[in-house]
Amino acid sequence: MDDIEYSTDEIEKKADEEIISFGKIESGNENQHSPGKRKKCGGWKLASLLLVNQGLATLAFFGVGVNLVLLLTRVLDQDSAVAANNVSKWTGTVYLCSLIGAFLSDSYWGRYLTCAIFQLILVLGLGLLSFASWFFLISPTGCGDGMKLCNTPSPVGVVMLYLSIYLIALGYGGHQPTVATLGADQFDDSNPNAVISKAAFFSSFYFALNVGSLFSNTILVYYEDSGKWTLGFLVSFGAAIIALLLYLSGTSRYRYVKASGNPLPRVAQVFVAAYRKWGVTPATVDALYEVEGTESAIKGSRKILHSNDFKFLDKAATITSMDLRGPNNPWKLCTVTQVEEAKCVLKMLPIWLCTIIYSVIFTQMASLFVEQGDVMASKLKNFRIPAASMSAFDICSVLIWTGVYRHVVVPVSRSLTGNPKGLTELQRMGTGLIIGMIAMVAAGVTEIQRLKFVSPGSKKSSLSIFWQVPQYVLVGASEVFMYVGQLEFFNGQAPDGIKSFGSSLCMASMSLGNYVSSLLINIVMEVTTRDGGPGWIPDDLNDGHLDRFYFLIAGLTAVDFIIYVYCAKWYNGINLDTSENGIQLEEQQKEVLASLMS
């Protein structure tokens, strides 16, 4: 065990020393945003700058998101179910915007410009929210603290609030998956340490995200919960400005990757070409169409070797007599790499769909967990603990489990399985599903206990809010397995031309998870209020059965896990072309990994 721990330290040491030489960057990945050559670019120094940027941007985002449900109920006087639905829709929009950022990044703008533009949108949204809260929403001063009522906000104030929070959704959503991919780009694949460095980066990325949100979930939550909403928003505004300035400071030293063009026509061409040749028997592997040389027909992308999945798509790369009569038409004849790119998208979709139910679990922390904690005993002597600040236990759990995973789980599982990574990404995600299901059971048990300690006529239960700690800790532990595993899996399995799209799938699952959560709440309330009852999630939670809703999610997760196991066993990974240099690199990587295991 000591040898293994020493090996992990060696990984970090080698990663810290790695600097990517500009001269080693391949023509498809050359720097195109600044004139002249630079001696050094990329590596851990620039990746670390992006980690700090991510931490500050997350601090700014969660400074708004973590307490949004209480802002809607206390300041805008919305009902609990309505506020929870609005938060779910807003959070879903945040992560849906990640697809917009990924598309623009992969297709046209490139990672750097995409990150810069969306961070600027985030700054504008936070500035507008700070202004709106100061002049239109928080009146009288200090209201919205749970005791002092706010005046009904003007229509202008409400419009400015929604405009600002959706600008924040667009800015943060478009920025996050792109900055993750830009960070991975700082490690050159021609270096045998790059695989290890990228894996370490994704763990560090999620660690930085949670360090940033820790401040928001403790200090900022306290000030906002006590009625100092504008102060909290101004701190978020300042953090976003600093994040943007730090990001721009690395402009001359980043390692850039060219945009590969719009992937939608490329994927569509494969299906159209296959449909046109539906009656054609697919050719053998050696006879399928592919361009000569080591470069693929997709700009800046490596070739992908043929796979036996979705064989009907091989028709698109089958050469017929009609194809030989004129110039190549990609709507009639596609390369093997182009066909495999479409196959990769199809293969990742079932795995991605199975992660959506987990995001339903995750979104409860920003809505129903907060509302549940808000009706529990939260005073510690003379100090009242804000319900939203309980998510600090989730963050601390993530930070602790990130270390436990790297220094305990990986070495132990590596010795048991022989896999240098310990658990595969798919095994890691499956573990996250199981822990998330247990978290929902814990939340349901807490709610059962909370209802037992409600006195007649009382709005709050006398049960301590610290009963929520297990559910937050379990969700945090599940994140380390699920979300970090997702980042590694989708980024690693996505072809070069759609890397940002791969990273955005993680956030897109969160998006649909929020919408599914909102849909579940609407269905549950519709079904459980038919006979005139209050339903499971009424405005007064003491009259409802929130525990049953939590158990429902746990049951759905159990069914989802069974489907996920089947999909994970079926999945075959991407197989990139191993040219002469690629074979040499692969052998070097095997030597590095073997030395780490020795």
Side-chain angles (χ1 to χ4, degrees):
M1 181 65 72
D2 293 337
D3 291 338
I4 294 174
E5 291 177 352
Y6 175 77
S7 302
T8 305
D9 293 336
E10 286 295 315
I11 295 175
E12 296 172 352
K13 183 178 179 181
K14 289 179 181 179
D16 290 336
E17 293 173 350
E18 181 183 334
I19 297 176
I20 309 299
S21 169
F22 178 83
K24 292 182 180 179
I25 299 177
E26 299 175 356
S27 59
N29 293 337
E30 64 186 0
N31 193 308
Q32 57 178 327
H33 290 280
S34 54
K37 292 184 178 180
R38 288 166 298 278
K39 292 182 179 179
K40 295 176 182 178
C41 64
W44 266 106
K45 288 185 178 179
L46 273 297
S48 298
L49 180 64
L50 295 174
L51 292 176
V52 175
N53 169 267
Q54 172 64 17
L56 288 170
T58 303
L59 184 158
F61 170 74
F62 279 104
V64 176
V66 74
N67 243 0
L68 183 58
V69 69
L70 295 185
L71 178 70
L72 295 178
T73 54
R74 294 179 183 178
V75 178
L76 267 61
D77 197 29
Q78 293 183 358
D79 292 336
S80 296
V82 173
N85 266 337
N86 284 333
V87 171
S88 293
K89 291 174 184 176
W90 175 78
T91 309
T93 303
V94 173
Y95 299 125
L96 193 62
C97 288
S98 68
L99 294 175
I100 299 175
F103 174 77
L104 293 172
S105 171
D106 287 334
S107 305
Y108 304 111
W109 293 352
R111 330 268 204 241
Y112 171 82
L113 185 58
T114 303
C115 283
I117 291 175
F118 280 102
Q119 283 192 78
L120 181 60
I121 294 173
L122 175 63
V123 169
L124 292 175
L126 288 165
L128 180 61
L129 178 61
S130 301
F131 176 80
S133 67
W134 192 353
F135 287 97
F136 295 101
L137 298 175
I138 310 303
S139 177
T141 302
C143 71
D145 60 351
M147 293 177 286
K148 192 175 184 180
L149 299 178
C150 290
N151 296 330
T152 302
S154 65
V156 174
V158 174
V159 170
M160 289 184 70
L161 169 67
Y162 278 102
L163 176 60
S164 63
I165 63 175
Y166 277 94
L167 279 174
I168 293 168
L170 176 61
Y172 185 76
H175 158 260
Q176 191 176 11
T178 312
V179 77
T181 311
L182 180 62
D185 288 343
Q186 303 313 303
F187 306 105
D188 189 355
D189 287 336
S190 66
N191 189 312
N193 290 328
V195 174
I196 300 169
S197 297
K198 284 186 179 182
F201 172 78
F202 284 120
S203 291
S204 300
F205 182 82
Y206 203 72
F207 185 89
L209 186 153
N210 281 275
V211 168
S213 62
L214 180 61
F215 181 84
S216 301
N217 283 267
T218 51
I219 308 299
L220 288 188
V221 160
Y222 172 74
Y223 280 102
E224 292 170 1
D225 189 71
S226 60
K228 299 176 182 177
W229 295 95
T230 302
L231 177 60
F233 296 150
L234 285 172
V235 172
S236 292
F237 180 44
I241 292 175
I242 296 172
L244 178 58
L245 294 176
L246 284 175
Y247 176 78
L248 296 176
S249 70
T251 299
S252 63
R253 295 173 292 151
Y254 290 128
R255 183 174 183 269
Y256 297 94
V257 173
K258 286 182 179 180
S260 298
N262 190 344
L264 297 180
R266 292 201 305 268
V267 174
Q269 285 165 356
V270 173
F271 287 96
V272 170
Y275 175 75
R276 285 179 168 179
K277 298 176 180 178
W278 196 253
V280 175
T281 302
T284 60
V285 175
D286 294 338
L288 294 175
Y289 173 66
E290 182 60 277
V291 296
E292 298 291 336
T294 58
E295 296 291 329
S296 75
I298 302 172
K299 181 176 62 177
S301 298
R302 291 168 290 181
K303 287 185 177 180
I304 309 174
L305 295 180
H306 177 265
S307 68
N308 292 322
D309 301 303
F310 303 109
K311 284 189 175 182
F312 68 93
L313 291 180
D314 290 346
K315 299 174 187 287
T318 299
I319 303 172
T320 64
S321 58
M322 293 294 292
D323 296 322
L324 298 174
R325 294 179 183 177
N328 290 341
N329 182 349
W331 292 97
K332 295 180 179 178
L333 180 64
C334 305
T335 65
V336 171
T337 296
Q338 190 176 347
V339 171
E340 290 302 318
E341 185 181 54
K343 288 183 180 181
C344 285
V345 174
L346 288 179
K347 288 190 293 185
M348 288 191 295
L349 281 178
I351 301 294
W352 174 70
L353 289 171
C354 289
T355 65
I356 292 173
I357 193 65
Y358 175 81
S359 296
V360 174
I361 296 172
F362 183 77
T363 194
Q364 304 312 314
M365 286 198 303
S367 54
L368 291 180
F369 278 20
V370 178
E371 293 189 27
Q372 181 187 38
D374 202 39
V375 287
M376 298 178 74
S378 58
K379 280 195 173 182
L380 194 63
K381 294 184 178 179
N382 294 324
F383 178 75
R384 187 168 68 89
I385 302 169
S389 69
M390 291 298 291
S391 57
F393 288 100
D394 162 76
I395 298 168
C396 290
S397 176
V398 169
L399 299 181
I400 293 170
W401 271 96
T402 299
V404 170
Y405 182 81
R406 288 188 63 187
H407 298 289
V408 178
V409 177
V410 170
V412 171
S413 57
R414 179 190 292 156
S415 63
L416 293 175
T417 64
N419 187 333
K421 290 184 177 181
L423 298 177
T424 66
E425 290 88 349
L426 290 172
Q427 290 171 338
R428 192 169 181 175
M429 291 158 63
T431 304
L433 270 176
I434 294 174
I435 300 175
M437 178 180 63
I438 297 172
M440 283 295 97
V441 173
V445 171
T446 296
E447 180 64 12
I448 291 174
Q449 290 299 116
R450 189 193 70 81
L451 291 173
K452 289 180 180 178
F453 288 83
V454 176
S455 301
S458 176
K459 290 188 65 177
K460 290 192 174 186
S461 169
S462 59
L463 187 69
S464 171
I465 195 173
F466 288 107
W467 268 73
Q468 284 192 312
V469 171
Q471 64 203 58
Y472 277 105
V473 169
L474 286 167
V475 171
S478 68
E479 289 177 59
V480 173
F481 288 90
M482 172 56 79
Y483 283 140
V484 179
Q486 273 186 279
L487 278 172
E488 288 187 37
F489 176 78
F490 290 122
N491 186 272
Q493 294 299 310
D496 293 335
I498 52 173
K499 283 291 184 186
S500 292
F501 169 77
S503 296
S504 71
L505 284 177
C506 178
M507 295 187 68
S509 72
M510 296 184 192
S511 171
L512 287 183
N514 279 274
Y515 289 123
V516 170
S517 176
S518 178
L519 178 64
L520 274 176
I521 290 175
N522 288 334
I523 293 174
V524 164
M525 290 302 292
E526 177 69 23
V527 172
T528 59
T529 57
R530 283 179 180 172
D531 297 329
W536 287 3
I537 317 172
D539 187 39
D540 185 353
L541 293 181
N542 295 333
D543 295 331
H545 279 285
L546 187 58
D547 53 317
R548 296 176 184 175
F549 183 71
Y550 287 147
F551 291 142
L552 173 64
I553 296 176
L556 292 174
T557 306
V559 174
D560 179 70
F561 176 74
I562 296 172
I563 300 172
Y564 172 81
V565 170
Y566 174 80
C567 293
K569 287 184 177 180
W570 164 82
Y571 183 82
N572 291 314
I574 188 172
N575 191 10
L576 293 170
D577 184 16
T578 53
S579 60
E580 184 177 347
N581 292 334
I583 294 172
Q584 182 181 2
L585 173 60
E586 186 178 5
E587 292 303 319
Q588 289 175 328
Q589 290 173 347
K590 287 180 180 179
E591 290 176 5
V592 171
L593 295 174
S595 67
L596 293 174
M597 294 177 64
S598 61

